[in-house]
Amino acid sequence: MKVEEVNFGKNDKFNLTMIPGKFARFLRTCVLWQFIRFIVINIKMIIVVAKSH
Amino acid sequence: MARLVVMGGGVAGHTTATFAKKWLGNDHEVVVVTPNSNWNWIPSNIWVGIGQMKKEDVVFPLAPVYAKAGIDYRQAKAVSIHPEGKEGSDKPFITIEYTGQGKEGQTEELEYDYLVNATGPKLNFDATPGLGDGNGQIGPHTVSVCTADHAVHANSELRRIFEKAKTEKQKILVGTGHGLCTCQGAAFEYIFNIEHEAKKAGVRDNLEIKWISNEAFLGDFGMGGLHMKVGGYVVSSKLFAESLYAERGVDWIIGAHVSKVEEGKLDYELLDGTTGTEEFDFAMLIPPFAGVGLKAYAKDGSDITDKLFAPNGFMKVDADYTPKPYEEWKASDWPRKYQNPDYSNIFAAGIAFAPPHIISKPAKSPNGTPINPTPPRTGMPSGIIGKAVAESVCSLIKDGENAHIHEISMAEMGAACVASAGKGIFDGQAAAMTVYPVVPDFEKYPGTGRDTDYTFGEIGLAGHWIKHILHYLFIYKAKLKPGWTLIPE
């Protein structure tokens, strides 16, 4: 059984959610991808901070 | 020479005092009254609570910083406000009781021209039987991460549970300890950091980790949740919060008012009116917040506390406090100047001001028990409000009574928030979020109440890097090191 499918069977509440698969979980800690996201998130946050001051 | 007295040295009070002193220079006096000797970067307390940071990493002594800035620092707690002075004097003043500086227990009257109440919250553990010790402190059955010392204790208890989990099943409960709590975000961070640490310690399989909170749905966070654009859809934070809990194998109880805590178990009531009991080996429950209990007196000595403060102890400001149903709540109910309507030289910043109403949709159980999160005022809004109040006071001091009062509403400002879900330079994760505005404005943004172009969230390592960098950045700023004013609130 795939890792992401195990928890669906543990609980009725879990069964009605979405659980990330292997690729989505890989991207979350992939240093290269996360470095790009780091820049993107910072730009988004700076815009919100600028709009709030 | 005018004197500004700031009660409180947390995010809002520290921001107000330091900016006011910078703008006023030595022509005027800025006094900070706070019972604490240390400044605490509270968002990092959760890392102290899992043993990934020491107390010394999240606190620093205030005295040298204020000495460098030229701010008069009194390590004392404010006891009462006398906005009309007293018999024989029209000069307003506060009474303080020292908690340090070798004057412990001594009281003093401190006159002011302008007063800023930034006292933050009282951690109201005693609101839930068994959560407190009956004397206003945390009780023996649960732990907390609200202060650095609480977090140190939480970590020692957590390590004990991890040790036991090497050989036997243990149950961990994390969430809110009352139906009217706020700060779900801190509990959210703590539960996922525990889960992350448990995996690293090799004891995850022997741990049952469960969430219990007063939110009507996961991902509410006290602000009615948020909607964001993902994959071409506009979706609720509920979907992503539930996904994370399911992915990490963390079960949940929501819409819960914890009514009683005992050794190893707690009782709760749900929004549907049913009750239940949950057992635990380790529980971290956030207490509800209240005002710090300041009293106020008129010139003749009569008690005018209810004139300055709402029943929950938070200070009344220029908000619309008219009771009205949820459907009639408006963004314009929220304050813009943070100025007391009766005494124009008194302001309140950060958690100390009384919100006009909650942000999440109000809810009650059939038994009449209110179960809904109260409004969060996280670091960014508190800092922005603190700075705005400093600008207003400086304008009043320099330009007189008709000076421009700086205005900023939580219904017009956004907030950036990073919620840790595990610490590690290469395996850590955090949910990075922005909301714009903090308080939904359904007139301006029908549907979600917020601008979905500026409201977003995603989880990953990048969020952890940001949270870790912010830890150092904000402590650097609070220490008033070179360039501190360039770092935004």
Side-chain angles (χ1 to χ4, degrees):
Chain A
M1 186 184 286
K2 292 175 183 170
V3 175
E4 63 267 27
E5 294 175 13
V6 173
N7 281 5
F8 282 120
K10 287 184 177 175
N11 180 316
D12 284 347
K13 286 180 275 186
F14 292 176
N15 195 37
L16 298 174
T17 65
M18 54 183 191
I19 294 180
K22 192 176 177 182
F23 184 62
R25 281 184 284 115
F26 164 74
L27 284 181
R28 281 188 191 170
T29 51
C30 168
V31 173
L32 191 62
W33 175 244
Q34 288 299 315
F35 181 71
I36 296 166
R37 297 311 300 164
F38 177 80
I39 293 166
V40 171
I41 294 168
N42 269 294
I43 290 169
K44 287 182 170 184
M45 284 185 166
I46 287 167
I47 292 169
V48 170
V49 168
K51 282 171 72 71
S52 303
H53 278 69
Chain B
M1 177 183 270
R3 177 189 276 174
L4 163 65
V5 173
V6 180
M7 301 187 294
V11 171
H14 193 71
T15 304
T16 303
T18 50
F19 273 103
K21 188 61 189 172
K22 174 183 162 52
W23 292 328
L24 293 171
N26 292 326
D27 297 338
H28 303 282
E29 201 179 351
V30 176
V31 184
V32 172
V33 176
T34 172
N36 304 315
S37 59
N38 288 324
W39 193 83
N40 178 203
W41 178 239
I42 293 169
S44 294
N45 284 356
I46 49 127
W47 286 339
V48 178
I50 54 159
Q52 287 297 318
M53 275 193 176
K54 293 176 183 165
K55 179 187 170 184
E56 295 71 34
D57 296 328
V58 300
V59 301
F60 64 81
L62 280 170
V65 175
Y66 286 152
K68 182 173 74 173
I71 292 170
D72 184 352
Y73 163 57
R74 312 289 180 101
Q75 193 188 333
K77 64 176 180 184
V79 178
S80 59
I81 304 174
H82 303 256
E84 300 164 6
K86 59 183 177 182
E87 205 173 311
S89 170
D90 291 334
K91 191 75 177 171
F93 67 95
I94 61 169
T95 58
I96 63 173
E97 182 183 327
Y98 282 90
T99 58
Q101 297 176 318
K103 298 180 185 175
E104 287 84 341
Q106 289 182 32
T107 58
E108 188 178 321
E109 291 180 0
L110 194 59
E111 293 183 345
Y112 65 84
D113 295 291
Y114 293 92
L115 180 69
V116 175
N117 177 12
T119 45
K122 169 182 148 190
L123 302 174
N124 196 13
F125 289 105
D126 285 333
T128 303
L131 188 63
D133 66 353
N135 295 309
Q137 302 299 314
I138 187 169
H141 312 306
T142 64
V143 300
S144 145
V145 289
C146 293
T147 71
D149 285 327
H150 285 172
V152 169
H153 174 242
N155 178 51
S156 68
E157 288 296 304
L158 184 65
R159 293 296 145 186
R160 189 176 58 79
I161 293 298
F162 277 12
E163 197 56 39
K164 287 175 87 171
K166 286 179 180 170
T167 53
E168 56 186 298
K169 295 277 184 190
Q170 295 287 294
K171 183 169 175 180
I172 288 177
L173 208 54
V174 175
T176 55
H178 190 276
L180 295 177
C181 285
T182 184
C183 244
Q184 289 78 13
F188 171 94
E189 290 187 275
Y190 196 54
I191 198 167
F192 289 112
N193 271 272
I194 288 177
E195 201 271 341
H196 185 76
E197 289 301 308
K199 272 185 197 152
K200 280 163 57 180
V203 296
R204 179 65 181 96
D205 290 343
N206 265 352
L207 284 182
E208 180 187 351
I209 304 177
K210 200 165 189 176
W211 172 259
I212 182 165
S213 96
N214 56 347
E215 301 161 289
F217 58 90
L218 283 182
D220 179 290
F221 294 126
M223 53 184 184
L226 57 132
H227 289 79
M228 52 199 150
K229 289 177 183 169
V230 181
Y233 291 80
V234 177
V235 297
S236 164
S237 51
K238 176 177 183 285
L239 261 70
F240 287 96
E242 287 183 350
S243 172
L244 184 63
Y245 281 72
E247 177 198 346
R248 301 281 189 97
V250 175
D251 195 6
W252 64 81
I253 300 170
I254 48 171
H257 162 66
V258 174
S259 55
K260 188 179 174 188
V261 181
E262 294 173 282
E263 186 57 36
K265 68 172 187 176
L266 59 78
D267 296 337
Y268 62 86
E269 177 184 350
L270 295 179
L271 273 171
D272 63 8
T274 57
T275 57
T277 297
E278 199 68 26
E279 295 187 343
F280 59 82
D281 297 295
F282 172 97
M284 196 295 288
L285 299 176
I286 300 281
F289 290 173
V292 296
L294 280 166
K295 305 291 282 182
Y297 297 98
K299 194 180 179 75
D300 62 3
S302 59
D303 193 323
I304 53 166
T305 304
D306 59 353
K307 193 175 175 184
L308 260 76
F309 295 95
N312 57 11
F314 295 122
M315 183 171 264
K316 291 178 187 170
V317 291
D318 57 313
D320 182 355
Y321 295 110
T322 313
K324 46 190 165 185
Y326 174 73
E327 294 72 25
E328 294 175 24
W329 290 359
K330 288 183 178 174
S332 55
D333 296 341
W334 286 74
R336 304 181 62 81
K337 298 177 179 175
Y338 306 92
Q339 193 173 26
N340 183 264
D342 293 306
Y343 300 99
S344 61
N345 61 343
I346 299 180
F347 293 80
I351 292 174
F353 84 81
H357 41 67
I358 61 173
I359 300 175
S360 302
K361 197 170 183 176
K364 272 184 186 175
S365 77
N367 309 318
T369 308
I371 305 175
N372 42 233
T374 44
R377 274 149 287 170
T378 54
M380 186 174 157
S382 293
I384 291 173
I385 294 167
K387 190 176 178 181
V389 166
E391 284 187 85
S392 298
V393 171
C394 292
S395 298
L396 286 164
I397 289 174
K398 288 177 176 174
D399 304 330
E401 281 185 10
N402 297 321
H404 170 71
I405 303 293
H406 197 85
E407 296 185 22
I408 182 81
S409 165
M410 281 178 64
E412 291 168 12
M413 76 169 86
C417 176
V418 188
S420 174
K423 189 172 183 294
I425 203 74
F426 294 115
D427 66 348
Q429 290 188 34
M433 293 176 276
T434 65
V435 287
Y436 189 87
V438 178
V439 174
D441 183 343
F442 288 99
E443 289 176 312
K444 196 169 180 183
Y445 308 107
T448 70
R450 296 196 177 93
D451 188 334
T452 50
D453 287 337
Y454 301 107
T455 301
F456 79 97
E458 73 173 72
I459 188 167
L461 182 58
H464 170 72
W465 290 340
I466 293 169
K467 185 169 173 87
H468 211 155
I469 290 169
L470 291 179
H471 166 87
Y472 294 106
L473 207 60
F474 283 118
I475 288 178
Y476 181 91
K477 178 184 169 78
K479 286 182 174 176
L480 311 183
K481 295 209 170 174
W484 67 273
T485 56
L486 301 173
I487 300 167
E489 286 66 45

